[in-house]
Amino acid sequence: MKMKENLKNGSEILVRSMTLKDLDPLMDFYNGLPQSDRRYFRVDVTNREVMIQRIKLMKSGNFLRIIALLDDKVVATGLLEFSEEEWRKHQCELRTIVDPTLRHKGLGTVMLRELYHLAAEKKVERVVVRIMRPQKAARAICHKLGLREEVVLPDYVKDITGRKQDMIIMTGDMKEFWRELEHFFIDTDWRSHR
Ligand SMILES: CC(C)(COP(=O)(O)OP(=O)(O)OC[C@H]1O[C@@H](n2cnc3c(N)ncnc32)[C@H](O)[C@@H]1OP(=O)(O)O)[C@@H](O)C(=O)NCCC(=O)NCCS
């Protein structure tokens, strides 16, 4: 996939599939993220070897990764993760990370919209987002897009400082998710270029 989009501030970004060739600009992006973000990530994204292994997992077909570029600089990443478990084949997990200097300009929504389209192609019926309680922006954008908090697991995971955190599992039906995404683009003067 490959598409262009204008953010709310007028910047034109390119969103496309990620490949291993993007590793250097990708590491610049990850290394530039504040510790206050990275603290709640599942893996140490600043570890190059870890990231190489994770990008290679795309070959399995269970991980679809996208990036957004502004002037050849990575400004956002997105991930769709499918489970190998038969009973979860109709679901996928969504993740996105946006450059802190470009937040609140609609980029997170654009990334989630593109992940939605990829999920729809794969006939996904339900999307899942797992976050730690302090990830307030993630929780807010998920609420805005119609995802519901299904369960809170107290002290279930540890952040990178070793502190236990509640994990929140949010899910949404694909049709509902699309309705909210569509509203977002229709209700604002900021139009989708899709
Ligand atoms: C969550 C994240 C992806 C949002 O990206 P973004 O580009 O700022 O999101 P958008 O500009 O598309 O925001 C869309 C809506 O989400 C909500 N939202 C986003 N950030 C918010 C925040 N900090 N507080 C409250 N609401 C927020 C708002 O309703 C916003 O709409 P509005 O701008 O019209 O008010 C970004 O903050 C991020 O990368 N956080 C760190 C990584 C992370 O936690 N990722 C989520 C794992 S799934």
Side-chain angles (χ1 to χ4, degrees), residues 2 10 41 94 139 157 167 185-186:
K2 200 173 186 177
F41 290 174
L94 302 179
R139 202 168 169 189
V157 277
M167 187 168 86
F185 287 101
I186 290 169

Side-chain angles (χ1 to χ4, degrees), residues 42-97:
R42 282 189 301 182
V43 295
D44 178 7
V45 290
T46 60
N47 184 323
R48 195 179 171 91
E49 283 311 309
V50 167
M51 290 322 296
I52 291 173
Q53 293 315 317
R54 290 184 67 80
I55 295 170
K56 283 184 177 168
L57 283 175
M58 284 173 71
K59 282 195 192 124
S60 70
N62 285 334
F63 299 82
L64 299 182
R65 290 180 181 271
I66 59 174
I67 50 172
L69 298 153
L70 176 66
D71 302 330
D72 295 331
K73 187 175 166 247
V74 175
V75 289
T77 58
L79 169 67
L80 266 195
E81 185 174 334
F82 296 88
S83 170
E84 285 186 358
E85 295 165 353
E86 218 42 66
W87 64 358
R88 290 185 58 213
K89 287 275 185 211
H90 63 297
Q91 306 176 354
C92 75
E93 191 167 336
L94 302 179
R95 287 185 169 259
T96 184
I97 308 171

Side-chain angles (χ1 to χ4, degrees), residues 8 37 41 94-98 102-109 129 131 135 137-138 140-141 144 184:
K8 287 178 185 173
D37 278 351
F41 290 174
L94 302 179
R95 287 185 169 259
T96 184
I97 308 171
V98 170
L102 275 183
R103 289 188 188 161
H104 298 287
K105 294 175 177 54
L107 184 50
T109 311
V129 174
I131 52 172
Q135 293 179 285
I141 195 171
K144 181 150 195 167
F184 192 85

Side-chain angles (χ1 to χ4, degrees), residues 8-23:
K8 287 178 185 173
N9 64 351
S11 308
E12 189 182 74
I13 50 140
L14 173 74
V15 184
R16 62 163 172 76
S17 305
M18 185 191 291
T19 75
L20 208 45
K21 288 185 190 151
D22 298 312
L23 189 63

